[in-house]
């Protein structure tokens, strides 16, 4: 197979998604393959065989008639799946150790933050108030992870090593040492009833949209040392019903929430999440994709594909992830 040119379409809008930064990395790892940073008036769309993208505009990829593979530069492909004109070529997503390790750091940080009552302790510090509360061991807390894929299974293992009781829920059956695994709609109730801290690492698909709602929060365990269940969502904003989260925090159905993702990003200035005393908020940076590692991952996959090998981490369009 002849060497095809690669088009880079990066529209993240944040420092990590600076198109210049990605272009430099791809130039370094692509040898003599032509890398176009688009838009570029000199680029002939017919010469583009590969596209490496983050948040391309709807319809933007349909402009390349000879595309062979699309590489999403992140793990979640929901934005691409929503593009009805997406070319019917393999779509590859990111699944690399660096991204996984970053997400596990985020999950461990936030589980520990709630387990060790950090928001309360920081409030005490602000008020110069010496008011220790009793602590409990990690083994007294059950963390339930929705999504036992690349990210969820790694976070589960890390939490288990810290001594938490860990369970997980996925679409298909799983076996992970030391983790109680539930799957499908028939086992979700049992999963939720045992969960004190709910971590969501699901992809956003038609099946999972707004899955984090009042009906689900009401089924979480209410008898843990934490007092009320805690939600941690680093999957996608579309997974959560935001009005339900706020109402459930206000009426005590939820004790606290760590949120990294939102229905509208950047989070609008008038969102109550910004100032809610029970919300720990981060700006969709639980796990940044690192241009160094990801550009090498894409370049390796293209080399192998052109040599007749198989692509890895190809999205199943039927499942949507
Ligand atoms: P994977 O595809 O590896 O795993 C997805 C998991 O979700 C699988 O276990 C899958 O089940 C499960 N799942 C999917 N649909 C359902 C369903 N309807 N019911 C039950 N379980 C379901 O994805 P990753 O772990 O790599 O990533 C997960 C998500 O994390 C991404 O899609 C992205 O949205 C988000 N993300 C967020 C980041 C951030 O910075 N906030 C960074 C990176 C990713 P099964 O195993 O049976 O297929
Ligand atoms: C991703 C993300 O999906 O950063 O990789 O959100």
């Amino acid at each position: 197979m002849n060497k095809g040119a690669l088009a880079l379409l990066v529209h993240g809008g944040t420092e990590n998604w600076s198109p210049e930064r990605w272009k430099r990395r791809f130039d370094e790892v692509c040898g003599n393959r032509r890398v176009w940073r688009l838009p570029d008036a000199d680029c002939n769309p017919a010469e583009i065989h590969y596209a490496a993208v983050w948040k391309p505009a709807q319809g933007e990829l349909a402009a390349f008639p000879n595309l062979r593979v699309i590489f999403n530069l992140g793990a979640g492909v929901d934005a691409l799946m929503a593009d009805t004109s997406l070319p019917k070529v393999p779509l590859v997503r990111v699944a690399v150790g660096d991204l996984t390790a970053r997400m596990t750091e985020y999950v461990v940080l936030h589980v520990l933050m709630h387990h060790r009552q950090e928001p309360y302790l920081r409030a005490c510090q602000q008020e110069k108030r010496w008011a220790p509360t009793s602590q409990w061991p990690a083994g007294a807390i059950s963390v339930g992870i929705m999504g036992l894929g690349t990210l969820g299974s790694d976070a589960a293992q890390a939490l288990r090593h810290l001594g938490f009781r860990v369970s997980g829920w996925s679409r298909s059956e799983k076996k992970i040492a030391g983790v109680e695994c539930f799957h499908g709609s028939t086992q979700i109730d049992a999963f939720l009833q045992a969960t004190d801290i709910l971590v969501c690492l699901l992809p956003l698909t038609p099946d999972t949209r707004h899955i984090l709602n009042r009906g689900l929060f009401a089924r979480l365990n209410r008898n843990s040392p934490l007092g009320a269940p805690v939600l941690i969502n680093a999957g996608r904003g579309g997974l959560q019903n935001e009005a339900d989260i706020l109402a459930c925090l206000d009426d005590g159905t939820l004790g606290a929430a760590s949120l990294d993702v939102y229905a509208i990003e950047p989070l609008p200035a008038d969102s109550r999440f910004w100032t809610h005393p029970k919300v720990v908020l981060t700006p969709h940076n639980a796990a940044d994709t690192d241009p160094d590692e990801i550009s090498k991952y894409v370049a390796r996959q293209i080399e192998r594909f052109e040599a007749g090998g198989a692509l890895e981490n190809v999205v199943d369009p039927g499942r949507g992830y």
Side-chain angles (χ1 to χ4, degrees):
M1 198 181 279
N2 64 323
K3 262 191 189 308
L6 173 89
L8 199 50
L9 295 112
V10 175
H11 302 308
T14 59
E15 191 190 349
N16 189 51
W17 290 107
S18 142
E20 297 76 24
R21 186 169 173 222
W22 283 87
K23 170 82 164 77
R24 274 197 303 277
R25 291 293 174 268
F26 271 99
D27 279 338
E28 278 164 23
V29 297
C30 279
N32 55 3
R33 185 184 310 282
R34 184 77 200 251
V35 178
W36 292 91
R37 187 195 129 196
L38 297 186
D40 186 325
D42 291 335
C43 174
N44 172 7
E47 284 173 18
I48 299 298
H49 291 325
Y50 306 100
V53 307
W54 185 244
K55 297 190 177 163
Q58 297 267 319
E60 204 173 355
L61 286 161
F64 305 104
N66 298 318
L67 212 51
R68 294 174 183 157
V69 186
I70 300 168
F71 294 93
N72 187 47
L73 295 174
V77 293
D78 44 290
L80 287 170
M81 298 310 292
D83 183 348
T84 50
S85 67
L86 194 73
K88 295 200 178 345
V89 298
L91 167 61
V92 171
R93 66 186 205 92
V94 166
V96 297
D98 175 77
L99 181 76
T100 303
R102 289 169 195 241
M103 182 58 87
T104 293
E105 285 177 5
Y106 169 90
V107 172
V108 168
L109 173 71
H110 286 262
V111 166
L112 285 175
M113 188 185 302
H114 295 290
H115 165 60
R116 296 299 301 253
Q117 305 170 79
E118 270 296 307
Y120 164 80
L121 293 169
R122 296 289 68 79
C124 289
Q125 184 179 352
Q126 282 284 321
E127 296 160 15
K128 299 186 177 167
R129 197 152 57 87
W130 186 271
T133 51
S134 53
Q135 289 184 3
W136 45 84
I141 301 296
S142 292
V143 183
I145 303 183
M146 298 181 90
L148 284 176
T150 309
L151 304 181
S153 55
D154 193 73
Q157 297 286 13
L159 291 167
R160 191 175 68 83
H161 288 308
L162 286 173
F164 290 98
R165 293 200 301 254
V166 184
S167 62
W169 181 72
S170 53
R171 214 169 57 98
S172 57
E173 193 170 354
K174 296 264 177 297
K175 282 198 170 44
I176 304 175
V179 176
E180 194 176 2
C181 295
F182 299 87
H183 69 278
S185 53
T186 55
Q187 296 188 359
I188 192 166
D189 277 354
F191 164 74
L192 294 171
Q193 276 157 23
T195 294
D196 303 326
I197 298 181
L198 182 70
V199 176
C200 183
L201 289 173
L202 287 169
L204 177 60
T205 69
D207 289 339
T208 60
R209 181 171 292 279
H210 288 175
I211 193 168
L212 301 174
N213 58 41
R214 178 180 279 282
L216 181 138
F217 303 144
R219 287 179 278 159
L220 294 165
N221 181 30
R222 303 205 58 78
N223 300 316
S224 81
L226 297 168
V230 170
L231 168 69
I232 299 175
N233 182 19
R236 280 290 181 268
L239 295 163
Q240 65 201 14
N241 179 326
E242 300 193 337
D244 278 7
I245 293 178
L246 286 163
C248 287
L249 288 168
D250 290 342
D251 71 16
T253 304
L254 287 175
S258 283
L259 303 175
D260 184 58
V261 286
Y262 310 90
I264 302 174
E265 295 180 3
L267 184 65
D270 62 358
S271 168
R272 280 187 63 213
F273 285 143
W274 284 111
T275 49
H276 201 290
K278 294 182 180 172
V279 172
V280 181
L281 182 157
T282 48
H284 195 151
N285 74 339
D288 265 353
T289 43
D290 173 41
D292 289 350
E293 174 136 3
I294 309 295
S295 55
K296 287 183 202 145
Y297 165 80
V298 171
R300 258 195 324 267
Q301 290 239 39
I302 295 177
E303 289 296 325
R304 203 170 43 232
F305 177 73
E306 289 184 345
L311 295 164
E312 288 171 359
N313 305 312
V314 177
V315 170
D316 176 341
R319 292 185 322 188
Y321 66 97

